[in-house]
Amino acid sequence: MHFTINGTLYQVEVDNRVSLLDLLREHLALTGSKKGCDHGQCGACTILINGRRINSCLSLAVMHQDDDITTIEGLGSPEDLHPLQAAFVSHDGYQCGYCTPGQICSAVGMLDELKKGWPSHVSPSLRDVDLNDDEISERMSGNICRCSAYPNIVDAIRDVAAAQA
Amino acid sequence: MSDTNNLVMDLPVPSSLLDIGAQGLIGKPLSRSEGPLKVTGRATYSAEYAIPDLAYGYLVGAKFGRGKITRVDADAVRGLPGVIDVITDFATFIRNPQQGGESKAPAQGVKDVQYFGEIVAIVLAESYEAARDAGERLVVEYEEAEGRFDFEALKADSEKGTFNNIPGYFHQGDLDRAVADAHASVDVVYTTPSQNSAAMEPHASIAVWEEGTLTLYGSYQMPSSDKLQLAKALGVSAKKVRIIAVYIGGGFGSKLGVAPESVAAAVAAKQLGRPIKAVMTRPQVFETTVRRASTEQRVRFSVDAEARLTGVGHETKTSNLPGESFFEPAGVGTHFAYPGDNRVINHDIVRLNLLLAGSMRAPGEASGMMATEAALDELCHKIGLDPIEFWRRNEPKEAPEEKVPWSTRQLLRCMEEGAERFGWDVRNPEPAQVRDGEWLVGMGMAAAVRSNMLMKSAATVSIDPDGRATIATDMTDIGTGTYTILGQIAGELLGLPLDRISVNLGDTNSPPGAGSGGSWGAGSSGSSVYLACERLRERLAAAMGCVPDELTLKDGIATARNRQIALAELVGEGLEATGQIAPGDMETQRKQASYGAHFAEVGVNATTGEVRVRRMLGVFSAGRILNAKTARSQCLGGMTFGIGAALTEDLVHDPRNGKVVNHDLGEYHVPVNADVPQLEVHFLTERDQFANPLQAKGIGELGISGAGAAIGNAVFNATGIRVRDYPITLDKLLDQLPPI
């Protein structure tokens, strides 16, 4: 099967039991996506499929023929950080760093959802969607950070969103 | 050529070189030096090393609570595609992880199973999927035996705790008499549940044997003692074991000692003659690493007519596996936080067949202060006194038991500054009086105390001919900021910007560091770097023909007596020195601790009983703050652990077999982003010359100490309901909520 990861076309043969996360980590040496629970409960494995965020541990690799996959490695490099990556560094939006790639991929997907006007549990109404701290916190609650950098994560995302607006 | 600068902390260090450094790095809110690697997914954690010829190991745990294994049907799975072997070394596998800092092997032997989930076998395969499939199919036959699973039912059958940082039993004066004669008193029982550190990275080890030497890429907090434990467990010389732990995805105590996956991987790799990767599943992390033990704490406070404490009682019942001496030291902070001449601080252990009880962030203070600071709030409410006024009347001049001076103690200042910043003066002390729409609103506060410790720690610092410095120690950074603060210390003392300093951590081939635990990491490891740099400054001064006091080092240039020479030129072929710190008389001649005050505002839903933390603020004093950004983050993390402890975290054991019922992150509820408001953290300016040459104290565990009590006290203020059984979930409030 074939798919694109971070702009590179991959052609692989894969056991149909392999999760998308394990494909990245164990077969393609893309270990930036993290395995925190393998249950879709922690968000550490969040990546972008055709621009939308998903838990890659809950998806089998074989379901992704022709998909356009973006992982943390595709967002930026240490020498050329994505704005969210830079904001996570400057706001200390992490400590141990293990949930961080998932947080950042999730934030990329989340800001796009906000831009499209998708409502959340805390939106005042289905059409009244605004970027504020409550919206960021709610929409980022699928990504657990046990070090608990949440206030800094909110600060980082708010900064980037404001710059984009 | 390396020489060693040793310091035993027998005397205070009233003037620190950090105050005369010219580089301007210390205390600054600098971003983590390893940050760009972490945010781009380039930081390599234990399970992520690309090792040639690697095979996968899947750990298999006992699916019963107590009994003997009679047979493992390995042949049934050996033939499955991709499966290589099943390894069951009943004698060598470890029953449970080791406690932190121990030099001996953990309890070994797994044929006689002591708790549900105990790792009894490892299945090896060419792929993770094949190993997992075979592991799930593997039939382990057993004879079940009667176990001890139910704390409630068995708590009368307990034994006295023996020494664990503090004595198991302590008494002074006559507490019963003090309570009987008191102007007012409280006598209440609080309970806290088992908890799990739930670090985001599951425990993981890759074991590689080469010519009789084991390299273990392991997610461990204290490599130098972990190495000794692992060597003992495997029956090899410590010289034949190397642990590499460069990045660790959180620990919080759960990775202090070696855990079952390390020994299983090492045994299997040796037998197979191939490297083995063994990563715990998330349920295995919950079932077979380490828990903070549940406690039942009886707290007594008695006061005289002026509200001065006359008696303090803190009696804790907790639990652990047979043969494990660790007890949850819930009274550790009580010994020095509260004055009062009549004192009882005891700990009893109930032997239970549940996974290991050990250290989780602030063992002792974290659960202990949830009881004492709530009981104190009860007392203050009873006598109609504001808790801060209570502390004004009770703040002790010296340590109440040892009668030695404090190194520093700014508890009251933390409270007063916090009260002002938080707006404590608008709090209505009468509960259930403030309403905001459907929310009952209340405020609570609590003291934070956490003992300060210094551990033996060594580091080597070298300056290369190109003027770059390199720090090497097997100290770890578990998210605490070690990489950054060690660089800041060396940069300050050697006059180098951070980008000219390499910090190499987490490799036992480097000098043994203190490891990350007990909030001692920065003070201990930082001091070793300080001492190495102090020696290098002496050598540089000699090369400049001056004494160290005349030397100014900044931006890679040495200046003295109107001469300027680049460091690169001055060091010739390079310089190297080792620093080593060790605790000394200051440990007993001064009582050392960090202090703080928590303030919380909660909303309790008037209809559903749901509790939301609306605001939370902490003021802390912990000696010199080495990096304002990472120190603040440590406090954010601690306070959030406090939110979890107060409101959601509850590891539930099935009383029939001890199984952890909620063994994943969907059922064991750690706080998520929406549970945590924009917390506020403030530090008081402080130097502690008795602690170490940095004059800094621990901060990683201070933020959790007392935090949960502040929230519980706020819930009481909001509703008038005192929940003494943590966590404060809505079912415990629902039937007592005020009429709508």
Side-chain angles (χ1 to χ4, degrees):
Chain A
M1 58 180 304
H2 40 84
F3 34 70
T4 304
I5 305 177
N6 303 329
T8 302
L9 185 69
Y10 282 80
Q11 186 125 19
V12 297
E13 246 181 69
V14 57
D15 184 328
N16 57 13
R17 298 172 295 184
V18 175
S19 71
L20 181 54
L21 175 62
D22 285 330
L23 175 83
L24 296 169
R25 285 174 63 81
E26 306 297 336
H27 298 258
L28 304 179
L30 290 166
T31 55
S33 307
K34 303 302 181 193
K35 185 185 281 191
C37 70
D38 222 12
H39 284 53
Q41 295 171 337
C42 77
C45 66
T46 306
I47 61 170
L48 299 157
I49 306 284
N50 306 322
R52 284 182 61 178
R53 52 180 174 161
I54 70 154
N55 288 328
S56 60
C57 75
L58 288 187
S59 191
L60 292 169
V62 292
M63 297 158 66
H64 294 280
Q65 178 81 349
D66 295 330
D67 273 345
D68 185 12
I69 299 166
T70 304
T71 70
I72 191 71
E73 291 94 341
L75 289 180
S77 65
E79 299 74 31
D80 182 20
L81 298 176
H82 182 280
L84 273 165
Q85 291 172 325
F88 268 64
V89 172
S90 63
H91 287 282
D92 214 32
Y94 57 99
Q95 292 179 36
C96 79
Y98 199 76
C99 74
T100 313
Q103 299 276 359
I104 293 171
C105 286
S106 190
V108 171
M110 184 273 285
L111 288 176
D112 188 52
E113 292 159 19
L114 260 173
K115 205 180 280 174
K116 288 174 179 157
W118 295 6
S120 83
H121 171 68
V122 298
S123 306
S125 77
L126 292 180
R127 290 170 191 282
D128 187 7
V129 179
D130 200 15
L131 181 105
N132 56 45
D133 286 3
D134 285 350
E135 285 282 2
I136 295 172
S137 286
E138 169 65 22
R139 291 163 187 261
M140 290 301 293
S141 284
N143 292 85
I144 295 174
C145 172
R146 184 55 157 164
C147 299
S148 309
Y150 299 130
N152 294 345
I153 291 170
V154 171
D155 286 345
I157 296 172
R158 188 200 309 112
D159 258 21
V160 172
Q164 282 178 358
Chain B
M1 179 187 128
S2 183
D3 56 347
T4 299
N5 189 17
N6 276 300
L7 178 66
V8 179
M9 269 312 278
D10 285 332
L11 293 168
V13 182
S15 59
S16 174
L17 291 173
L18 293 178
D19 288 317
I20 61 164
Q23 197 62 32
L25 294 174
I26 283 298
K28 294 280 157 51
L30 300 182
S31 296
R32 286 167 205 267
S33 45
E34 81 285 12
L37 296 176
K38 284 181 173 173
V39 299
T40 58
R42 267 74 162 186
T44 306
Y45 297 80
S46 293
E48 300 171 350
Y49 285 85
I51 308 286
D53 200 30
L54 185 76
Y56 290 83
Y58 188 82
L59 302 164
V60 178
K63 292 189 172 60
F64 57 101
R66 177 83 182 87
K68 271 199 170 52
I69 297 175
T70 53
R71 180 169 170 260
V72 175
D73 192 4
D75 287 343
V77 301
R78 278 199 180 104
L80 292 171
V83 174
I84 302 167
D85 203 354
V86 178
I87 308 282
T88 51
D89 184 338
F90 289 137
T92 309
F93 274 30
I94 60 177
R95 180 185 78 173
N96 49 257
Q98 183 53 289
Q99 305 287 355
E102 291 284 350
S103 56
K104 56 184 191 288
Q108 284 179 285
V110 299
K111 191 168 183 138
D112 184 17
V113 169
Q114 291 286 341
Y115 64 95
F116 195 106
E118 192 174 321
I119 300 298
V120 298
I122 183 167
V123 178
L124 310 180
E126 298 294 347
S127 72
Y128 174 67
E129 292 71 27
R132 180 181 60 193
D133 183 25
E136 293 298 327
R137 288 172 194 241
L138 186 69
V139 175
V140 176
E141 295 174 7
Y142 56 92
E143 270 171 23
E144 211 156 358
E146 199 172 323
R148 295 168 59 88
F149 306 115
D150 189 350
F151 179 83
E152 269 312 300
L154 296 165
K155 67 185 181 188
D157 178 17
S158 63
E159 57 190 69
K160 288 184 176 184
T162 54
F163 193 86
N164 168 30
N165 291 319
I166 54 167
Y169 265 58
F170 175 86
H171 81 274
Q172 175 186 307
D174 185 344
L175 178 63
D176 290 336
R177 184 68 182 268
V179 170
D181 294 349
H183 171 71
S185 64
V186 287
D187 182 353
V188 287
V189 174
Y190 277 80
T191 56
T192 62
S194 292
Q195 296 174 345
N196 188 284
S197 291
M200 296 312 297
E201 180 205 20
H203 292 56
S205 288
I206 297 177
V208 185
W209 289 92
E210 280 166 319
E211 293 166 12
T213 295
L214 171 68
T215 300
L216 190 99
Y217 300 85
S219 187
Y220 287 112
Q221 298 177 223
M222 303 181 70
S224 52
S225 50
D226 294 324
K227 175 175 110 160
L228 304 178
Q229 299 161 17
L230 188 57
K232 292 263 172 61
L234 297 170
V236 301
S237 155
K239 291 190 190 109
K240 298 285 185 186
V241 175
R242 177 187 186 189
I243 293 181
I244 293 176
V246 176
Y247 292 105
I248 294 143
F252 317 109
S254 71
K255 296 168 180 172
L256 288 172
V258 292
E261 97 293 339
S262 65
V263 172
V267 167
K270 190 157 203 184
Q271 282 197 27
L272 185 64
R274 276 175 70 177
I276 296 292
K277 166 151 71 179
V279 183
M280 285 197 189
T281 64
R282 179 53 61 180
Q284 286 168 345
V285 172
F286 278 98
E287 289 171 352
T288 188
T289 61
V290 58
R291 68 188 167 104
R292 189 202 296 284
S294 63
T295 64
E296 182 182 283
Q297 304 176 44
R298 180 187 183 193
V299 180
R300 285 181 281 174
F301 284 121
S302 61
V303 288
D304 63 18
E306 280 79 46
R308 291 197 180 87
L309 278 170
T310 57
V312 177
H314 193 182
E315 292 154 278
T316 299
K317 278 206 170 182
T318 182
S319 60
N320 210 343
L321 279 164
E324 292 289 332
S325 61
F326 178 94
F327 61 83
E328 178 64 34
V332 64
T334 311
H335 281 291
F336 64 92
Y338 309 103
D341 288 340
N342 304 287
R343 312 170 70 82
V344 170
I345 302 169
N346 291 346
H347 301 80
D348 291 287
I349 311 178
V350 181
R351 293 296 166 198
L352 291 181
N353 295 110
L354 303 177
L355 78 150
L356 181 72
S359 295
M360 175 171 153
R361 198 172 202 160
E365 288 94 338
S367 50
M369 295 193 83
M370 286 172 75
T372 57
E373 282 298 290
L376 201 65
D377 195 63
E378 294 198 50
L379 178 68
C380 287
H381 182 71
K382 195 171 179 178
I383 60 178
L385 195 64
D386 184 87
I388 300 174
E389 177 56 27
F390 177 91
W391 278 103
R392 270 188 210 107
R393 297 186 192 183
N394 279 286
E395 190 52 0
K397 299 271 181 293
E398 59 181 7
E401 291 165 14
E402 300 93 333
K403 308 286 184 201
V404 296
W406 307 109
S407 64
T408 65
R409 174 159 165 146
Q410 298 200 71
L411 178 59
L412 207 51
R413 280 260 345 259
C414 290
M415 289 182 181
E416 287 170 345
E417 179 155 344
E420 194 177 322
R421 288 177 179 275
F422 193 73
W424 179 251
D425 58 333
V426 305
R427 170 185 180 257
N428 185 339
E430 189 60 33
Q433 299 301 308
V434 181
R435 188 81 183 247
D436 174 12
E438 61 181 309
W439 298 93
L440 302 162
V441 180
M443 292 186 191
M445 63 86 59
V449 310
R450 171 68 188 164
S451 313
N452 186 61
M453 288 177 265
L454 180 68
M455 302 290 275
K456 195 172 174 184
S457 199
T460 294
V461 181
S462 56
I463 309 173
D464 303 337
D466 63 358
R468 285 187 59 89
T470 302
I471 299 168
T473 167
D474 77 5
M475 176 62 191
T476 51
D477 187 333
I478 62 172
T480 38
T482 315
Y483 279 107
T484 316
I485 60 138
L486 294 189
Q488 286 175 274
I489 292 164
E492 193 67 57
L493 296 193
L494 300 178
L496 288 171
L498 276 190
D499 63 8
R500 275 194 255 171
I501 300 170
S502 303
V503 184
N504 298 335
L505 301 181
D507 181 345
T508 55
N509 280 358
S510 296
S516 301
S519 298
W520 61 60
S524 307
S525 178
S527 291
S528 68
V529 170
Y530 174 104
L531 291 167
C533 292
E534 183 178 52
R535 179 57 49 85
L536 290 173
R537 287 172 63 93
E538 292 163 12
R539 304 268 298 274
L540 291 169
M544 285 288 281
C546 68
V547 296
D549 284 353
E550 296 173 288
L551 189 66
T552 301
L553 299 170
K554 189 167 190 298
D555 294 328
I557 308 285
T559 307
R561 298 185 181 178
N562 292 323
R563 280 205 308 150
Q564 287 202 328
I565 302 181
L567 223 51
E569 195 182 322
L570 203 56
V571 300
E573 290 177 11
L575 286 180
E576 184 178 289
T578 298
Q580 181 164 284
I581 188 88
D585 291 345
M586 289 302 100
E587 202 172 66
T588 47
Q589 289 183 8
R590 288 289 187 286
K591 182 65 199 170
Q592 298 180 27
S594 303
Y595 295 89
H598 295 283
F599 293 82
E601 180 184 296
V602 302
V604 180
N605 190 285
T607 310
T608 67
E610 178 190 8
V611 181
R612 306 292 298 167
V613 179
R614 293 157 63 112
R615 292 195 296 139
M616 196 167 172
L617 177 149
V619 179
F620 303 104
S621 68
R624 187 196 304 270
I625 298 303
L626 298 166
N627 180 319
K629 188 181 284 192
T630 55
R632 174 177 172 272
S633 287
Q634 284 288 290
C635 293
L636 294 177
M639 290 162 76
T640 305
F641 265 65
I643 295 173
L647 299 179
T648 60
E649 292 184 42
D650 183 357
L651 198 70
V652 179
H653 308 281
D654 188 327
R656 297 166 303 178
N657 60 9
K659 179 184 162 71
V660 176
V661 175
N662 49 347
H663 62 188
D664 58 51
L665 294 166
E667 299 294 328
Y668 181 82
H669 296 148
V670 304
V672 299
N673 202 318
D675 296 324
V676 182
Q678 293 303 94
L679 308 174
E680 254 188 80
V681 173
H682 302 278
F683 295 113
L684 298 186
T685 302
E686 188 178 278
R687 301 282 185 269
D688 192 333
Q689 58 176 314
F690 305 100
N692 52 55
L694 312 176
Q695 304 173 336
K697 289 190 285 199
I699 198 137
E701 294 164 308
L702 182 60
I704 184 175
S705 303
I711 293 166
N713 295 341
V715 170
F716 174 75
N717 183 242
T719 63
I721 305 168
R722 181 66 69 176
V723 177
R724 299 195 184 93
D725 174 28
Y726 290 104
I728 306 169
T729 45
L730 50 80
D731 51 301
K732 296 171 190 171
L733 296 168
L734 209 48
D735 61 350
Q736 301 171 69
L737 286 169
I740 296 172

